[in-house]
């Protein structure tokens, strides 16, 4: 943990902002490639006896992908490996895109992604999933926080159009009239805005883009994509990199999973959605938005369709859902028992409880029941 903190501080100082490591699970395009230990910000909630069922698991399981769910996965891996002697889960936290590439190359047992497989990726997966194909299992939900660092400002309300204009390089000062209008009574300085985004392909970027495309109107003309589409701003590697820059720079704003804001004590924007009051970025408020999601996948695929335009009281709609990408059929015989065992734990009541303890949002019970059923049928 100390090594991880030191490395993150060095990265911030040098501007490299690349954190390397393992032992984490996939989530499409989040962040750091972290360490072999659980994050300091993750609350370790040890499973009760029987919550982890090793059931034939053995050897080493490799996984790769996004680190949006990193802080939860750190705890999952720690608990699972403590319960299943002789089993090693080694997850390379990089990006959703890299995880899916690794999955479709057959080098990992499963991948993590913050967005569902595209049709061409499903087609490619059939070369690896003998007699089957890649499917999406929603495992982690959570808010994408808009973090800010403005000296003297402790609370900030923004709406979708204003966020879009900031990240589109149209609003350049913190005392811009559009921001002042949303924050009556708040003294806003004339500090220049420095906006930070992900430098690599990222599911977090894509999910923020989906929200802005659905809600910001003409202020956000860009189609959702894993690659940052807007002009200006500075890129940083991973959510941890963006968070480190926001933490270090006065006048900064950026986006990352809520757990990174919590771990670095970064203030987050309250979102003006059109509800009675602006909505805070919390796991509970994200759950209220995710609860309205519909299953858009067919067969054993459980890809979800989220409603980014909700104005429900207390619903925070800038959310992502991390999928674990697996073969429905045709998994490698030597890793299948471990894949099923580990994912059964992450989808269990104990595994989902960890999400709420670490700034994430559990998958709604009705959807999670289908996830468990599907895991049991993997072949």
């Amino acid at each position: 943990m100390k090594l991880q903190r030191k490395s993150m501080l060095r990265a911030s100082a040098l501007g490299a902002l690349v954190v390397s490591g393992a032992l984490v699970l996939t989530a499409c395009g989040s962040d750091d490639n972290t360490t072999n230990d659980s994050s300091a910000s993750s609350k370790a909630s040890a499973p009760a006896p029987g919550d982890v069922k090793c059931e034939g698991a053995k050897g080493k399981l490799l996984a790769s992908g996004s680190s949006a769910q990193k802080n939860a996965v750190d705890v999952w891996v720690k608990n699972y490996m403590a319960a299943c002697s002789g089993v090693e889960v080694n997850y390379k936290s990089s990006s959703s895109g890299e995880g899916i590439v690794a999955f479709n190359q057959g080098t990992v047992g499963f991948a993590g992604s913050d967005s569902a497989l595209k049709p061409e990726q499903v087609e490619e997966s059939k070369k690896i999933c003998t007699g089957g194909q890649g499917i999406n299992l929603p495992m982690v939900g959570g808010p994408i926080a808009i973090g800010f660092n403005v000296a003297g400002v402790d609370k900030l309300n923004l709406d979708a159009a204003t966020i879009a204009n900031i990240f589109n390089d149209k609003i350049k000062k913190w005392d811009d009239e559009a921001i002042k209008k949303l924050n009556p009574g708040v003294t806003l300085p004339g500090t220049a805005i420095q906006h930070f985004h992900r430098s690599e392909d990222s599911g977090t970027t894509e999910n923020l883009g989906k929200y802005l495309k659905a809600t910001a109107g003409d202020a956000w003309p860009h189609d959702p994509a894993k690659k940052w589409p807007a002009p200006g701003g500075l890129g940083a590697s991973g959510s941890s990199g963006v968070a480190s820059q926001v933490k270090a720079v006065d006048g900064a704003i950026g986006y990352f999973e809520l757990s990174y804001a919590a771990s670095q004590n970064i203030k987050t924007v309250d979102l003006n959605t059109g509800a009675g009051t602006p909505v805070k970025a919390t796991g509970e408020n994200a759950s209220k938005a995710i609860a309205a999601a519909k299953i858009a996948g067919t067969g054993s695929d459980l890809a979800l369709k989220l409603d980014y335009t909700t104005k429900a009281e207390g619903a925070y709609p800038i959310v992502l859902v991390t999928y674990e990408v697996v073969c429905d059929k045709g998994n490698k015989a030597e890793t299948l028992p471990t894949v099923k065992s580990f994912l059964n734990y992450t989808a269990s009541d104990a595994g989902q409880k960890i999400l709420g303890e670490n700034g994430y949002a559990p998958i709604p019970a009705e959807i999670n029941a289908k996830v468990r059923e599907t895991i049991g049928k993997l072949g």
Side-chain angles (χ1 to χ4, degrees):
M1 307 296 290
K2 293 181 180 178
L3 288 174
Q4 182 183 358
R5 289 177 175 175
K6 289 179 181 177
S7 67
M8 288 175 69
L9 289 172
R10 284 197 299 269
S12 177
L14 296 173
L17 298 171
V18 179
V19 186
S20 63
L23 276 188
V24 222
L25 222 159
T26 82
C28 167
S30 284
D31 1 4
D32 25 317
N33 314 4
T34 47
T35 67
N36 292 347
D37 201 356
S38 58
S39 165
S41 65
S42 298
K43 299 179 182 178
S45 179
D51 284 334
V52 179
K53 296 179 174 60
C54 302
E55 296 176 332
K58 60 183 179 180
K60 180 183 290 188
L61 172 62
L62 300 180
S64 177
S66 159
S67 58
Q69 61 184 359
K70 171 200 173 304
N71 292 329
V73 173
D74 279 343
V75 185
W76 281 340
V77 168
K78 181 179 179 180
N79 289 348
Y80 181 79
M81 290 176 59
C84 298
S85 178
V87 180
E88 179 182 352
V89 179
N90 191 324
Y91 173 74
K92 181 182 178 183
S93 171
S94 51
S95 70
S96 300
E98 291 180 37
I100 292 171
V101 168
F103 177 76
N104 279 339
Q105 289 176 343
T107 60
V108 295
F110 67 92
S113 178
D114 300 343
S115 52
L117 292 169
K118 292 179 169 54
E120 61 270 22
Q121 293 169 331
V122 173
E123 193 62 31
E124 188 177 356
S125 74
K126 294 177 182 179
K127 301 173 184 177
I128 298 300
C129 305
T130 307
Q133 65 181 43
I135 59 171
N136 305 282
L137 300 179
M139 197 65 70
V140 177
I144 299 173
I146 307 296
F148 69 95
N149 177 8
V150 183
V153 179
D154 293 324
K155 182 177 173 59
L156 186 67
N157 299 328
L158 295 176
D159 59 15
T162 306
I163 293 170
N165 281 324
I166 288 172
F167 283 112
N168 236 350
D169 223 23
K170 298 289 182 63
I171 294 178
K172 298 180 181 293
K173 300 281 188 179
W174 280 108
D175 61 353
D176 187 277
E177 287 300 321
I179 301 177
K180 290 169 68 174
K181 184 177 179 181
L182 292 166
N183 295 274
V186 176
T187 301
L188 293 163
T191 309
I193 294 174
Q194 298 194 52
H195 53 93
F196 292 90
H197 57 264
R198 293 286 293 278
S199 59
E200 78 283 21
D201 285 3
S202 162
T204 310
T205 295
E206 185 173 23
N207 279 279
L208 175 63
K210 288 177 180 178
Y211 166 76
L212 293 174
K213 186 69 173 179
T215 59
D218 294 340
W220 194 256
H222 316 288
D223 290 330
K226 289 183 172 65
K227 185 175 180 63
W228 182 252
L234 296 170
S237 178
S239 286
S240 68
V242 175
S244 293
Q245 287 289 58
V246 171
K247 177 74 172 179
V249 177
D250 183 28
I253 188 170
Y255 60 94
F256 31 79
E257 293 73 35
L258 180 62
S259 61
Y260 293 93
S263 66
Q264 299 197 45
N265 295 315
I266 297 171
K267 301 178 184 69
T268 60
V269 166
D270 292 350
L271 195 62
N272 187 332
T273 63
T277 56
V279 184
K280 294 185 178 300
T282 68
E284 180 181 0
N285 290 345
S287 288
K288 292 177 183 177
I290 295 172
K294 306 295 183 184
I295 294 177
T298 58
S300 55
D301 183 75
L302 299 178
L304 301 179
K305 180 176 177 59
L306 299 169
D307 179 10
Y308 296 103
T309 63
T310 180
K311 296 181 180 179
E313 294 296 329
Y316 184 87
I318 314 181
V319 294
L320 61 76
V321 171
T322 293
Y323 299 97
E324 310 312 340
V325 177
V326 296
C327 296
D328 57 356
K329 298 177 183 178
N331 290 279
K332 294 179 180 179
E334 62 269 27
T335 57
L336 177 59
T338 309
V339 169
K340 294 178 70 171
S341 171
F342 182 74
L343 295 184
N344 269 322
Y345 167 54
T346 65
S348 70
D349 289 340
Q352 291 290 297
K353 182 173 182 286
I354 285 169
L355 299 180
E357 295 172 350
N358 288 279
Y360 296 97
I363 299 301
E366 182 179 350
I367 296 172
N368 194 45
K370 296 179 180 179
V371 171
R372 296 181 193 178
E373 181 182 353
T374 302
I375 292 169
K377 295 178 180 179
L378 298 179

